[in-house]
Amino acid sequence: MDLGSLAPSPIHITSRALALQTQDTAAEHSTLPYRAPELFDTKTGTTVDTKVDIWSFGCTLFACL
C-alpha cells in the first residue's frame, strides 16, 4: 500500500511556492500510479485534504483485483 502522500490534513495552498513544495513532496514520497490528480498540478488557492488518501486507497484496491 502506498502511504507516501500521508501528511497533516488539510493543507491550504496559499502560494505558488507552497504548491510547488507540495508537488515535490508528493513526487518524492508517493508512487506515480497511486498519486491523486491534485498532487500532479497543485493550484494556488486550493486545499489538499483527505481525498488524496481516498484516491490512493482506491487505486490500491483496484490493483488487488
Side-chain angles (χ1 to χ4, degrees):
M1 181 161 196
D2 186 357
L3 296 174
S5 61
L6 185 66
S9 180
I11 301 172
H12 302 287
I13 307 299
T14 56
S15 67
R16 183 68 183 148
L18 183 56
L20 292 174
Q21 179 186 9
T22 303
Q23 285 178 213
D24 289 345
T25 301
E28 291 174 14
H29 298 288
S30 63
T31 307
L32 186 64
Y34 301 96
R35 195 176 311 152
E38 297 92 335
L39 298 177
F40 283 102
D41 186 26
T42 308
K43 306 276 190 227
T44 302
T46 60
T47 300
V48 177
D49 56 12
T50 55
K51 293 176 188 172
V52 298
D53 297 326
I54 295 168
W55 177 275
S56 179
F57 183 64
C59 290
T60 302
L61 288 178
F62 182 77
C64 292
L65 293 176

